[in-house]
Amino acid sequence: RGAYTGADNDRLGAFRQADKGTLFLDEIGNLTPRIQAKLLRVLQEKTVQPVGADRPVPVDVRVICATNANLDGMVARGEFRADLLQRINAATLRLPPLRERPEDILPLAASFVADARGVPVERLPADWITERAVQVIAHHPWAGNVRELENVMRQAAAEAESSVIDERHLGPLAPENRRPVPLITTSSEPGSADRLPIERHLLQRMTAVTFNLPAVRDRLPGSVRSAVLGMLGGRPIRAEALDALERRAWWGNYHEIEMELAALRANLAGTVDVEAIERTLPYLLDRVGVEPIRVVLNPIQSPGGGIGGLQESFYGGALLIGRVSSTRELERAGLAEEATDADKARWAYLKRALGPSRADCLRLDHLHRLSRGHLLVTRTDEGLEVHALPGVRLGVSVVSLDDAGSSGTVRPGASRCIGRAGEIAIEGRGDRPYVRVFVFAGAVAFEEFSVVAARRANERSLADHTVSDTVATGGQRPLWTSGMWTLESFERELLNDIVLRYPGGDFKAHLEQELGPREKDPDFARLCGYILRNRPTLYCTRLYTHPTNDALRDELRVAIQASDQPSKRLDRLPVGIRRALEDLPVEEI
């Protein structure tokens, strides 16, 4: 009570209600990484801290979890915490789907009909269902399992009332309803049907029946095993090779399996084993798809306290960063007749570090001081390892955010393990880095270390942009005191007026045109110097997203709301500023 506005009663949470008893958690696979961490803490410490409480409360709860997801596969992809799975996986009961236990279908159907008619199942007449209806329900695949069976039988009981249930009472299973579907639409993008340029009533008819087919990586290993054995066309395969192919994530689903197995059949004769795969298609044995490497470029602290910036996930076995689009470019440069010693050394090191893995590339062509292949990030059992390739001109240093990793300088031709998350800086002029990125080993690591990374990004931003307070105009105000600050009223008024008058197009040119003439004004020198000295659009957005500039955002909200066509003005703003104002209520009149 009193923890927040409207909390006028005390209420026990689920764990405290289940104290000394059992708590059932359904769909455990749908938990976000952040909630996974909280649940793990409760299970380990056996305490909970209610909202608004000063101290934790001990609880003694037995937890039972249920899911239809492949948790081992989610752990391999970095989407579910391995330590949480070990904690809840003391004893596992696998409930087979209804189609694998046909002997249960008729007793369950009788139970549902009896319940719908309000009588005990023992009082149902022996001929409560016809033989034809029994055949229909016995041969149905029941993709929805017991829930689907219950819905069908309750509908049949309602239609048949007190008479015998026949096949015509089985709703969607009735013969007259089992006609061919006139149109089937497929898509691999979630929610893409909503974006089709089709009238709403037609779209509703097209998507009246929707089947969500789980990806191969989200199914039990038996699905991959069956596909591999079927597509080998009778070719014998050894158990260790089959296990290796089962462990692969297969992000391209059955299409990828079909293509790779076709290549395997074409290049191999006789029995398929691990040695043969290593000779012909070695990348099939790497850890592709395991814990995708998430990269945050131009990091900033988001309003929620986590890390923000340009983000992308890479699913390859490793990540190559530099002015290069593929490892083939470095291979050609290293094997060419006119190759320099640096090119040869770089390719030899890269080939040795990658092994059979394939590398994705983070291409940064606009950073001309970077080498073509500057650094490599690979996976190890301990996390991520950062390699500085031989011959790079700019030094590389790393800071581990994980206690299991190490920090320090990475010399050319050497490597350092940073654990599951860390910061990579490529040296620039003075103390300011030329490039700084954060890397995370999967979604769980990103969620776990996001706040720590954001705090470090904010601290580095302050350090990068701080100048001496002796640099002042008239001895009154420094040009800028830090990378982030709370704007004063006249600064807010100017900046919001400039943003509000933005007509669309090149926002950087608009800022330069409006702020350029004011750079020599002592009152606005700090604001102009901060925005115009590097990337105007990015640094202007940072001012709007900084937690201490609530007044700046609020005043812009009011100004947009009071303008004509507020919705269009909001849509015209750069994405970063628009997201900072996303809770603005706009009504187009």
Side-chain angles (χ1 to χ4, degrees):
R1 178 174 180 173
Y4 53 87
T5 303
D8 51 2
N9 291 310
D10 289 334
R11 189 177 70 84
L12 295 180
F15 272 92
R16 295 183 67 189
Q17 291 184 51
D19 193 24
K20 308 299 182 184
T22 301
L23 179 64
F24 176 62
L25 302 178
D26 198 9
E27 300 295 351
I28 192 74
N30 292 341
L31 291 183
T32 64
R34 181 171 299 178
I35 302 301
Q36 292 175 29
K38 293 183 178 181
L39 177 60
L40 177 63
R41 190 176 302 114
V42 173
L43 297 179
Q44 287 179 338
E45 301 176 2
K46 299 186 183 303
T47 60
V48 295
Q49 186 161 353
V51 177
D54 297 327
R55 58 180 60 89
V57 178
V59 291
D60 182 12
V61 176
R62 173 174 55 194
V63 175
I64 298 177
C65 306
T67 182
N68 61 355
N70 180 8
L71 294 184
D72 290 326
M74 294 180 66
V75 169
R77 297 190 303 278
E79 297 173 358
F80 198 87
R81 299 182 66 101
D83 45 6
L84 176 59
L85 179 59
Q86 294 167 1
R87 176 70 63 174
I88 65 177
N89 199 20
T92 300
L93 300 177
R94 179 181 177 272
L95 184 64
L98 194 55
R99 62 181 177 275
E100 293 183 8
R101 43 193 175 101
E103 67 278 1
D104 290 346
I105 294 178
L106 192 58
L108 285 171
S111 174
F112 295 141
V113 171
D115 184 64
R117 293 179 174 176
V119 298
V121 67
E122 297 82 7
R123 296 186 58 184
L124 278 180
D127 59 346
W128 65 273
I129 187 171
T130 65
E131 185 62 29
R132 179 57 185 164
V134 170
Q135 293 297 321
V136 171
I137 65 173
H139 291 89
H140 186 66
W142 299 112
N145 291 304
V146 177
R147 290 189 181 92
E148 182 184 3
L149 175 62
E150 180 180 8
N151 292 336
V152 169
M153 298 317 297
R154 288 187 177 277
Q155 179 180 350
E159 291 186 4
E161 297 181 347
S162 59
S163 62
V164 177
I165 294 178
D166 195 6
E167 58 179 339
R168 68 178 185 277
H169 300 136
L170 296 179
L173 305 188
E176 60 270 18
N177 294 330
R178 300 184 67 184
R179 58 186 182 275
V181 178
L183 177 65
I184 297 177
T185 58
T186 62
S187 174
S188 59
E189 295 294 332
S192 59
D194 298 335
R195 300 191 293 270
L196 292 175
I198 301 174
E199 294 183 12
R200 183 175 297 275
H201 73 282
L202 293 177
L203 182 61
Q204 291 173 346
R205 295 181 64 182
M206 289 173 57
T207 57
V209 178
T210 303
F211 296 96
N212 293 319
L213 188 64
V216 169
R217 60 185 177 274
D218 292 330
R219 305 182 195 180
L220 295 174
S223 298
V224 178
R225 179 183 291 264
S226 299
V228 170
L229 292 175
M231 295 176 187
L232 279 175
R235 184 77 59 83
I237 181 171
R238 297 195 180 277
E240 60 272 13
L242 183 58
D243 291 340
L245 295 177
E246 282 186 12
R247 288 193 298 269
R248 187 175 170 82
W250 299 111
W251 293 93
N253 295 303
Y254 279 104
H255 181 62
E256 181 185 4
I257 298 177
E258 185 177 15
M259 290 193 302
E260 300 295 358
L261 267 294
L264 212 58
R265 292 195 308 270
N267 289 278
L268 288 181
T271 302
V272 178
D273 54 21
V274 172
E275 291 76 14
I277 297 177
E278 286 181 344
R279 290 195 309 270
T280 55
L281 302 174
Y283 58 84
L284 292 181
L285 303 178
D286 67 15
R287 302 178 65 196
V288 172
V290 177
E291 296 178 348
I293 302 175
R294 183 175 293 190
V295 176
V296 180
L297 189 64
N298 293 333
I300 61 172
Q301 186 175 25
S302 65
I307 189 73
L310 302 176
Q311 299 182 22
E312 187 171 356
S313 294
F314 297 89
Y315 297 94
L319 175 64
L320 181 63
I321 300 178
R323 295 183 296 107
V324 63
S325 59
S326 70
T327 56
R328 290 186 179 274
E329 295 182 26
L330 299 183
E331 180 182 8
R332 287 194 296 266
L335 299 179
E337 294 183 1
E338 65 277 8
T340 64
D341 291 340
D343 290 334
K344 295 177 181 179
R346 186 178 296 117
W347 168 241
Y349 183 91
L350 184 65
K351 184 178 180 181
R352 184 172 61 253
L354 283 177
S357 299
R358 291 185 297 182
D360 290 336
C361 292
L362 176 59
R363 187 172 184 175
L364 303 175
D365 285 343
H366 62 288
L367 301 176
H368 302 292
R369 298 176 61 199
L370 284 185
S371 301
R372 293 178 63 187
H374 204 98
L375 59 91
L376 179 72
V377 182
T378 60
R379 296 187 180 91
T380 67
D381 293 337
E382 291 76 26
L384 300 176
E385 188 169 4
V386 178
H387 307 253
L389 298 185
V392 296
R393 298 186 297 273
L394 302 180
V396 178
S397 60
V398 296
V399 176
S400 173
L401 306 180
D402 186 358
D403 294 337
S406 63
S407 305
T409 301
V410 185
R411 298 188 306 274
S415 64
R416 188 181 291 270
C417 182
I418 61 174
R420 292 176 297 151
E423 177 189 16
I424 304 175
I426 298 177
E427 295 176 0
R429 296 185 178 92
D431 295 332
R432 186 175 181 182
Y434 184 53
V435 182
R436 184 168 70 248
V437 299
F438 284 85
V439 291
F440 304 86
V444 170
F446 177 82
E447 199 65 48
E448 183 174 349
F449 296 101
S450 178
V451 174
V452 178
R455 190 180 302 120
R456 178 166 180 81
N458 193 42
E459 292 171 355
R460 291 297 304 171
S461 178
L462 293 175
D464 292 346
H465 298 96
T466 300
V467 298
S468 173
D469 289 344
T470 60
V471 181
T473 302
Q476 299 296 322
R477 181 190 301 281
L479 292 179
W480 59 84
T481 57
S482 68
M484 293 291 178
W485 76 96
T486 304
L487 270 64
E488 299 189 21
S489 58
F490 57 88
E491 293 175 317
R492 299 197 303 268
E493 182 179 357
L494 173 65
L495 186 57
N496 280 335
D497 179 64
I498 292 174
V499 171
L500 196 63
R501 289 189 287 105
Y502 171 53
D506 190 344
F507 188 67
K508 173 185 175 182
H510 176 70
L511 290 174
E512 292 174 342
Q513 180 181 353
E514 295 290 338
L515 292 175
R518 295 180 171 86
E519 280 190 282
K520 298 181 180 180
D521 188 329
D523 288 332
F524 300 111
R526 174 173 65 167
L527 179 65
C528 298
Y530 175 76
I531 292 179
L532 298 180
R533 69 188 298 262
N534 203 330
R535 300 185 181 95
T537 300
L538 175 63
Y539 282 76
C540 179
T541 302
R542 285 182 174 181
L543 290 175
Y544 277 95
T545 57
H546 195 255
T548 63
N549 279 324
D550 289 338
L552 178 69
R553 294 187 290 272
D554 292 340
E555 290 171 6
L556 183 57
R557 289 187 182 101
V558 173
I560 291 178
Q561 190 65 52
S563 66
D564 57 324
Q565 297 182 327
S567 146
K568 290 185 178 180
R569 288 187 179 273
L570 185 64
D571 291 340
R572 194 181 299 160
L573 298 181
V575 175
I577 299 178
R578 189 166 67 245
R579 286 177 178 172
L581 307 175
E582 60 186 1
D583 58 337
L584 171 64
V586 175
E587 294 181 0
E588 184 67 45
I589 302 177

